[in-house]
Amino acid sequence: MKYSIANSLLCIVFLGLFGGLPLSSYAQLSPTFYSKTCPNVSSIVTDILTNVSKTDPRMLASLVRLHFHDCFVQGCDASVLLNNTATIESEQDAPPNSNSLRGLDVINNIKTTVEKSCPNTVSCADILTLAAQAASVLAKGPSWIVPLGRRDSFTANRTLATVNLPAPFNTLDLLKSAFAKQGLNTTDLVALSGAHTFGRAHCSLFVDRLYNFNRTGSPDPTLDTIYLQQLRNICPNGGPNTNLSSFDPTTPDRFDKNYYSNLQVKKGLLQSDQELFSTSGADTIKVVNKFSSDQNAFFESFKEAMVKMSKIDVLTGTKGEIRKQCNFINSELTELGLATMTQQESSEDGILSSI
Ligand code: HEM
Ligand SMILES: *[C@@H]1O[C@H](CO)[C@@H](O)[C@H](O)[C@H]1NC(C)=O
Ligand SMILES: *[C@@H]1O[C@H](CO)[C@@H](O)[C@H](O)[C@H]1NC(C)=O
Ligand SMILES: *[C@@H]1O[C@H](CO)[C@@H](O)[C@H](O)[C@H]1NC(C)=O
Ligand SMILES: *[C@@H]1O[C@H](CO)[C@@H](O)[C@H](O)[C@H]1NC(C)=O
Ligand SMILES: *[C@@H]1O[C@H](CO)[C@@H](O)[C@H](O)[C@H]1NC(C)=O
Ligand SMILES: *[C@@H]1O[C@H](CO)[C@@H](O)[C@H](O)[C@H]1NC(C)=O
Ligand SMILES: *[C@@H]1O[C@H](CO)[C@@H](O)[C@H](O)[C@H]1NC(C)=O
């Protein structure tokens, strides 16, 4: 009698812990997630990026952007990496990504190398996150500890990529709401925009500011006149607008606080950049001034915001899968005849899903 009451109490406690809520709500990201199963993963990422950055320093910026474009679209789940197939409408063809995403091959190289050391273990979503952190470090930016344990999605959403990813001609209000939708506040917006301290942008994305801003027939008044002339030289009026400009002309590949000092002297490249400083009365102005005068404050806020962004709607526990090849979900990889290994369900998954 006593025994069975104890049993049913145990059962209630057990159901309370594991039955009432989806198990995945208990699965949390952890920096030590791969410490037993793939202890070398972060050194593999760093080694490959060290190599790549010697011939293509811009790639470090491209990888930080790739992680951002993953996380803002149904969470950090490697959905951005999926190619078009029968069931997938690739996010890579959404306007904010098309002709501008870089680093897909680098991520595939990392994944192939990681699979050799630890097959079927490390998700593509975690590789994107680790690559963004390693890229920051290699560009002399901040370092931080990366929470791990994300799993990869079965889906992508091109429409959501178009809707959720902010545009270079967005006003401050729109930028704030795009970030708020992801749980990121105004300080996060200003700190993360500081990633525009390195990398490049195509003329097509800011050329209206040089010749016909907001259909006024004149340049953007918030653009420094000497900088305006420099940008006009890179992007001639009526040109194909396929040239690139550095975000930060002084240290184009280095992660530093110059982005903010550029904004203070009207040298933001995109409208969305300059909005942070030139919108009258905006609460972002004092944050720009703070980061411009204190690189440590910028780095601290950037780290905090990157970790926050890296946790958006992650798939953990029994959700999602570990893709074998980052551009395809495993079931379609088999159909495409690209699989070299058979899909294996982990026994842990089997036990958990039967509860
Ligand atoms: C605030 C809203 C943002 C807008 C409107 C925006 C827009 C853009 C645009 C239009 C480009 C140029 C793309 C091209 O020409 O191919 C770009 C590049 C870049 N963005 Fe952003 N971005 C934003 C926020 C962010 C965030 C949050 C990050 C990362 C934390 C980021 C990282 C980058 C990097 C590193 C590049 C250079 C990429 C390269 O050189 O390949 N951006 N962004
Ligand atoms: C881990 O990486 C180091 C170098 O980064 C290498 O020397 C070592 O062999 C690797 N270990 C395994 C198990 O792959
Ligand atoms: C780095 O590049 C060299 C030459 O391209 C290559 O031999 C080496 O294997 C590469 N190392 C890594 C870790 O990718
Ligand atoms: C995936 O699509 C990209 C273009 O977005 C292409 O370059 C790449 O070759 C494709 N990958 C595979 C494995 O088909
Ligand atoms: C994409 O996201 C939108 C907006 O959340 C949603 O309405 C739609 O059903 C999603 N499409 C797919 C294919 O998941
Ligand atoms: C663009 O022009 C419209 C009016 O035509 C105005 O309401 C809007 O504030 C302008 N945008 C900017 C960024 O100046
Ligand atoms: C940009 O492209 C134009 C052609 O549209 C070319 O004549 C010019 O030299 C390029 N400028 C730079 C700085 O790349
Ligand atoms: C914004 O979020 C950061 C963490 O990323 C936090 O430190 C800060 O206090 C928040 N700011 C506001 C105004 O809520």
Side-chain angles (χ1 to χ4, degrees):
M1 192 61 185
K2 227 179 186 177
Y3 196 82
S4 74
I5 288 167
N7 253 349
S8 41
L9 274 175
L10 251 179
C11 193
I12 287 161
V13 169
F14 191 75
L15 278 173
L17 277 177
F18 298 106
L21 287 161
L23 273 159
S24 53
S25 62
Y26 293 94
Q28 287 190 345
L29 301 179
S30 154
T32 57
F33 192 81
Y34 298 116
S35 62
K36 295 227 165 57
T37 54
C38 199
N40 257 6
V41 61
S42 39
S43 65
I44 292 171
V45 173
T46 298
D47 289 352
I48 292 178
L49 295 192
T50 303
N51 233 13
V52 169
S53 65
K54 283 178 192 150
T55 52
D56 183 3
R58 179 187 166 199
M59 186 52 73
L60 300 176
S62 305
L63 290 167
V64 170
R65 183 171 192 240
L66 190 56
H67 177 49
F68 158 53
H69 280 215
D70 181 30
C71 295
F72 267 51
V73 185
Q74 65 180 31
C76 311
D77 59 356
S79 59
V80 70
L81 301 178
L82 291 174
N83 274 26
N84 288 314
T85 63
T87 68
I88 302 291
E89 275 198 334
S90 179
E91 292 169 15
Q92 293 161 25
D93 297 328
N97 289 329
S98 62
N99 302 314
S100 98
L101 275 192
R102 299 177 78 243
L104 299 167
D105 291 350
V106 175
I107 296 297
N108 284 347
N109 288 344
I110 295 171
K111 175 67 172 173
T112 304
T113 310
V114 170
E115 286 298 293
K116 280 179 197 150
S117 289
C118 0
N120 302 319
T121 305
V122 181
S123 67
C124 300
D126 277 343
I127 289 174
L128 284 169
T129 315
L130 286 166
Q133 186 269 357
S136 169
V137 175
L138 288 169
K140 312 268 191 260
S143 180
W144 61 92
I145 291 167
V146 181
L148 297 165
R150 293 165 197 77
R151 291 165 67 84
D152 300 324
S153 70
F154 297 117
T155 62
N157 194 324
R158 186 185 298 165
T159 309
L160 205 55
T162 308
V163 171
N164 281 7
L165 291 168
F169 45 82
N170 280 171
T171 58
L172 184 57
D173 282 346
L174 287 172
L175 295 171
K176 283 183 178 178
S177 64
F179 277 65
K181 187 176 175 182
Q182 307 290 345
L184 299 169
N185 67 28
T186 299
T187 309
D188 299 323
L189 165 64
V190 179
L192 289 171
S193 295
H196 289 176
T197 176
F198 64 168
R200 315 282 182 270
H202 291 88
C203 290
S204 53
L205 298 163
F206 57 86
V207 71
D208 62 318
R209 302 185 72 209
L210 312 182
Y211 302 103
N212 185 17
F213 179 64
N214 203 11
R215 300 180 186 169
T216 56
S218 307
D220 187 337
T222 66
L223 200 48
D224 171 77
T225 50
I226 293 168
Y227 188 49
L228 169 67
Q229 200 48 57
Q230 289 165 347
L231 292 177
R232 283 181 165 183
N233 291 341
I234 299 172
C235 314
N237 199 8
N241 295 324
T242 48
N243 285 357
L244 295 168
S245 170
S246 295
F247 274 100
D248 177 2
T250 50
T251 53
D253 296 316
R254 191 184 172 111
F255 196 103
D256 53 28
K257 67 179 170 61
N258 285 357
Y259 172 76
Y260 302 102
S261 29
N262 291 338
L263 297 185
Q264 290 174 317
V265 295
K266 301 167 78 173
K267 290 185 179 178
L269 184 59
L270 306 177
Q271 182 188 336
S272 56
D273 294 319
Q274 197 60 50
E275 291 266 337
L276 302 177
F277 187 75
S278 296
T279 305
S280 73
D283 55 354
T284 49
I285 297 169
K286 65 176 194 303
V287 188
V288 170
N289 289 337
K290 173 73 180 163
F291 292 163
S292 165
S293 68
D294 183 352
Q295 181 153 286
N296 193 51
F298 165 42
F299 280 13
E300 286 305 314
S301 293
F302 184 78
K303 292 193 284 192
E304 207 177 342
M306 283 295 280
V307 170
K308 211 165 157 184
M309 182 174 84
S310 81
K311 293 178 174 174
I312 297 170
D313 286 349
V314 292
L315 303 171
T316 56
T318 57
K319 293 183 180 170
E321 65 175 357
I322 305 298
R323 282 184 215 145
K324 292 181 213 312
Q325 206 283 346
C326 292
N327 306 126
F328 300 98
I329 61 174
N330 290 336
S331 61
E332 292 191 325
L333 194 59
T334 312
E335 282 165 32
L336 290 161
L338 295 168
T340 48
M341 290 157 286
T342 55
Q343 232 175 307
Q344 62 183 110
E345 297 278 334
S346 87
S347 55
E348 196 188 23
D349 280 5
I351 291 164
L352 290 174
S353 56
S354 68
I355 289 173

mmCIF file of all heavy atoms in Angstrom, residues 127-149:
data_model
loop_
_atom_site.group_PDB
_atom_site.id
_atom_site.type_symbol
_atom_site.label_atom_id
_atom_site.label_comp_id
_atom_site.label_asym_id
_atom_site.label_seq_id
_atom_site.Cartn_x
_atom_site.Cartn_y
_atom_site.Cartn_z
ATOM 1 N N ILE A 127 28.054 24.589 -36.030
ATOM 2 C CA ILE A 127 29.232 24.972 -36.818
ATOM 3 C C ILE A 127 29.126 26.437 -37.240
ATOM 4 O O ILE A 127 30.100 27.192 -37.151
ATOM 5 C CB ILE A 127 29.410 24.027 -38.037
ATOM 6 C CG1 ILE A 127 29.871 22.643 -37.550
ATOM 7 C CG2 ILE A 127 30.419 24.608 -39.040
ATOM 8 C CD1 ILE A 127 29.951 21.584 -38.634
ATOM 9 N N LEU A 128 27.924 26.872 -37.646
ATOM 10 C CA LEU A 128 27.729 28.284 -37.997
ATOM 11 C C LEU A 128 28.030 29.191 -36.804
ATOM 12 O O LEU A 128 28.644 30.254 -36.950
ATOM 13 C CB LEU A 128 26.293 28.523 -38.459
ATOM 14 C CG LEU A 128 25.920 28.046 -39.860
ATOM 15 C CD1 LEU A 128 24.407 28.123 -40.058
ATOM 16 C CD2 LEU A 128 26.626 28.892 -40.923
ATOM 17 N N THR A 129 27.596 28.764 -35.622
ATOM 18 C CA THR A 129 27.796 29.570 -34.417
ATOM 19 C C THR A 129 29.273 29.634 -34.038
ATOM 20 O O THR A 129 29.810 30.703 -33.725
ATOM 21 C CB THR A 129 26.985 28.987 -33.243
ATOM 22 O OG1 THR A 129 25.673 28.653 -33.704
ATOM 23 C CG2 THR A 129 26.872 29.980 -32.107
ATOM 24 N N LEU A 130 29.932 28.472 -34.073
ATOM 25 C CA LEU A 130 31.365 28.425 -33.757
ATOM 26 C C LEU A 130 32.174 29.232 -34.767
ATOM 27 O O LEU A 130 33.138 29.918 -34.396
ATOM 28 C CB LEU A 130 31.856 26.966 -33.758
ATOM 29 C CG LEU A 130 31.439 26.115 -32.556
ATOM 30 C CD1 LEU A 130 31.683 24.629 -32.839
ATOM 31 C CD2 LEU A 130 32.203 26.552 -31.294
ATOM 32 N N ALA A 131 31.775 29.166 -36.041
ATOM 33 C CA ALA A 131 32.508 29.896 -37.076
ATOM 34 C C ALA A 131 32.392 31.406 -36.856
ATOM 35 O O ALA A 131 33.364 32.140 -37.056
ATOM 36 C CB ALA A 131 32.002 29.511 -38.458
ATOM 37 N N ALA A 132 31.220 31.866 -36.436
ATOM 38 C CA ALA A 132 31.037 33.301 -36.197
ATOM 39 C C ALA A 132 31.945 33.776 -35.065
ATOM 40 O O ALA A 132 32.576 34.844 -35.153
ATOM 41 C CB ALA A 132 29.575 33.608 -35.870
ATOM 42 N N GLN A 133 32.032 32.970 -34.012
ATOM 43 C CA GLN A 133 32.889 33.351 -32.886
ATOM 44 C C GLN A 133 34.353 33.317 -33.288
ATOM 45 O O GLN A 133 35.120 34.248 -33.005
ATOM 46 C CB GLN A 133 32.621 32.430 -31.686
ATOM 47 C CG GLN A 133 33.349 32.821 -30.403
ATOM 48 C CD GLN A 133 34.722 32.153 -30.263
ATOM 49 O OE1 GLN A 133 35.124 31.348 -31.101
ATOM 50 N NE2 GLN A 133 35.433 32.510 -29.206
ATOM 51 N N ALA A 134 34.773 32.252 -33.960
ATOM 52 C CA ALA A 134 36.173 32.132 -34.379
ATOM 53 C C ALA A 134 36.531 33.265 -35.341
ATOM 54 O O ALA A 134 37.651 33.796 -35.294
ATOM 55 C CB ALA A 134 36.415 30.775 -35.037
ATOM 56 N N ALA A 135 35.588 33.657 -36.186
ATOM 57 C CA ALA A 135 35.834 34.743 -37.136
ATOM 58 C C ALA A 135 36.076 36.057 -36.399
ATOM 59 O O ALA A 135 36.987 36.811 -36.742
ATOM 60 C CB ALA A 135 34.652 34.880 -38.095
ATOM 61 N N SER A 136 35.275 36.319 -35.381
ATOM 62 C CA SER A 136 35.469 37.532 -34.588
ATOM 63 C C SER A 136 36.863 37.547 -33.971
ATOM 64 O O SER A 136 37.590 38.546 -34.054
ATOM 65 C CB SER A 136 34.396 37.617 -33.492
ATOM 66 O OG SER A 136 34.700 38.642 -32.563
ATOM 67 N N VAL A 137 37.253 36.426 -33.395
ATOM 68 C CA VAL A 137 38.567 36.345 -32.736
ATOM 69 C C VAL A 137 39.694 36.564 -33.751
ATOM 70 O O VAL A 137 40.626 37.338 -33.508
ATOM 71 C CB VAL A 137 38.739 34.984 -32.028
ATOM 72 C CG1 VAL A 137 40.146 34.838 -31.457
ATOM 73 C CG2 VAL A 137 37.700 34.821 -30.924
ATOM 74 N N LEU A 138 39.591 35.911 -34.912
ATOM 75 C CA LEU A 138 40.657 36.024 -35.915
ATOM 76 C C LEU A 138 40.756 37.430 -36.508
ATOM 77 O O LEU A 138 41.809 37.841 -36.977
ATOM 78 C CB LEU A 138 40.444 34.995 -37.034
ATOM 79 C CG LEU A 138 40.721 33.537 -36.627
ATOM 80 C CD1 LEU A 138 40.225 32.566 -37.695
ATOM 81 C CD2 LEU A 138 42.210 33.326 -36.362
ATOM 82 N N ALA A 139 39.640 38.176 -36.465
ATOM 83 C CA ALA A 139 39.653 39.562 -36.958
ATOM 84 C C ALA A 139 39.998 40.539 -35.836
ATOM 85 O O ALA A 139 39.783 41.743 -35.978
ATOM 86 C CB ALA A 139 38.314 39.903 -37.586
ATOM 87 N N LYS A 140 40.519 40.018 -34.728
ATOM 88 C CA LYS A 140 40.941 40.811 -33.562
ATOM 89 C C LYS A 140 39.759 41.407 -32.799
ATOM 90 O O LYS A 140 39.900 42.374 -32.059
ATOM 91 C CB LYS A 140 41.904 41.943 -33.969
ATOM 92 C CG LYS A 140 43.040 41.500 -34.892
ATOM 93 C CD LYS A 140 44.262 41.121 -34.085
ATOM 94 C CE LYS A 140 45.473 40.951 -35.009
ATOM 95 N NZ LYS A 140 45.700 39.515 -35.277
ATOM 96 N N GLY A 141 38.607 40.804 -32.975
ATOM 97 C CA GLY A 141 37.434 41.209 -32.216
ATOM 98 C C GLY A 141 37.336 40.407 -30.925
ATOM 99 O O GLY A 141 38.265 39.685 -30.560
ATOM 100 N N PRO A 142 36.192 40.531 -30.246
ATOM 101 C CA PRO A 142 36.043 39.854 -28.961
ATOM 102 C C PRO A 142 35.922 38.335 -29.094
ATOM 103 O O PRO A 142 35.524 37.816 -30.130
ATOM 104 C CB PRO A 142 34.742 40.439 -28.408
ATOM 105 C CG PRO A 142 33.993 40.924 -29.593
ATOM 106 C CD PRO A 142 35.020 41.344 -30.597
ATOM 107 N N SER A 143 36.278 37.664 -28.006
ATOM 108 C CA SER A 143 36.104 36.217 -27.883
ATOM 109 C C SER A 143 35.044 35.957 -26.823
ATOM 110 O O SER A 143 34.875 36.753 -25.909
ATOM 111 C CB SER A 143 37.422 35.583 -27.455
ATOM 112 O OG SER A 143 37.272 34.183 -27.330
ATOM 113 N N TRP A 144 34.309 34.877 -26.977
ATOM 114 C CA TRP A 144 33.334 34.514 -25.950
ATOM 115 C C TRP A 144 33.138 33.011 -25.968
ATOM 116 O O TRP A 144 33.581 32.332 -26.913
ATOM 117 C CB TRP A 144 31.999 35.243 -26.179
ATOM 118 C CG TRP A 144 31.320 34.933 -27.476
ATOM 119 C CD1 TRP A 144 30.382 33.975 -27.717
ATOM 120 C CD2 TRP A 144 31.520 35.611 -28.744
ATOM 121 N NE1 TRP A 144 29.985 34.000 -29.044
ATOM 122 C CE2 TRP A 144 30.665 34.988 -29.689
ATOM 123 C CE3 TRP A 144 32.345 36.665 -29.164
ATOM 124 C CZ2 TRP A 144 30.611 35.399 -31.028
ATOM 125 C CZ3 TRP A 144 32.281 37.065 -30.494
ATOM 126 C CH2 TRP A 144 31.422 36.435 -31.404
ATOM 127 N N ILE A 145 32.533 32.509 -24.901
ATOM 128 C CA ILE A 145 32.291 31.071 -24.795
ATOM 129 C C ILE A 145 30.972 30.750 -25.500
ATOM 130 O O ILE A 145 29.962 31.417 -25.260
ATOM 131 C CB ILE A 145 32.274 30.652 -23.318
ATOM 132 C CG1 ILE A 145 33.701 30.776 -22.749
ATOM 133 C CG2 ILE A 145 31.771 29.229 -23.147
ATOM 134 C CD1 ILE A 145 33.783 30.702 -21.244
ATOM 135 N N VAL A 146 31.011 29.766 -26.397
ATOM 136 C CA VAL A 146 29.858 29.480 -27.252
ATOM 137 C C VAL A 146 29.005 28.355 -26.667
ATOM 138 O O VAL A 146 29.461 27.211 -26.581
ATOM 139 C CB VAL A 146 30.326 29.074 -28.665
ATOM 140 C CG1 VAL A 146 29.142 28.792 -29.577
ATOM 141 C CG2 VAL A 146 31.208 30.158 -29.274
ATOM 142 N N PRO A 147 27.775 28.634 -26.266
ATOM 143 C CA PRO A 147 26.868 27.559 -25.858
ATOM 144 C C PRO A 147 26.546 26.678 -27.076
ATOM 145 O O PRO A 147 26.291 27.201 -28.163
ATOM 146 C CB PRO A 147 25.620 28.300 -25.370
ATOM 147 C CG PRO A 147 26.049 29.710 -25.139
ATOM 148 C CD PRO A 147 27.136 29.961 -26.131
ATOM 149 N N LEU A 148 26.561 25.359 -26.885
ATOM 150 C CA LEU A 148 26.390 24.415 -27.999
ATOM 151 C C LEU A 148 25.280 23.402 -27.715
ATOM 152 O O LEU A 148 24.834 23.258 -26.577
ATOM 153 C CB LEU A 148 27.711 23.681 -28.240
ATOM 154 C CG LEU A 148 28.885 24.571 -28.680
ATOM 155 C CD1 LEU A 148 30.213 23.843 -28.536
ATOM 156 C CD2 LEU A 148 28.666 25.074 -30.103
ATOM 157 N N GLY A 149 24.888 22.706 -28.762
ATOM 158 C CA GLY A 149 23.841 21.692 -28.630
ATOM 159 C C GLY A 149 22.635 21.974 -29.497
ATOM 160 O O GLY A 149 21.592 21.336 -29.356
#
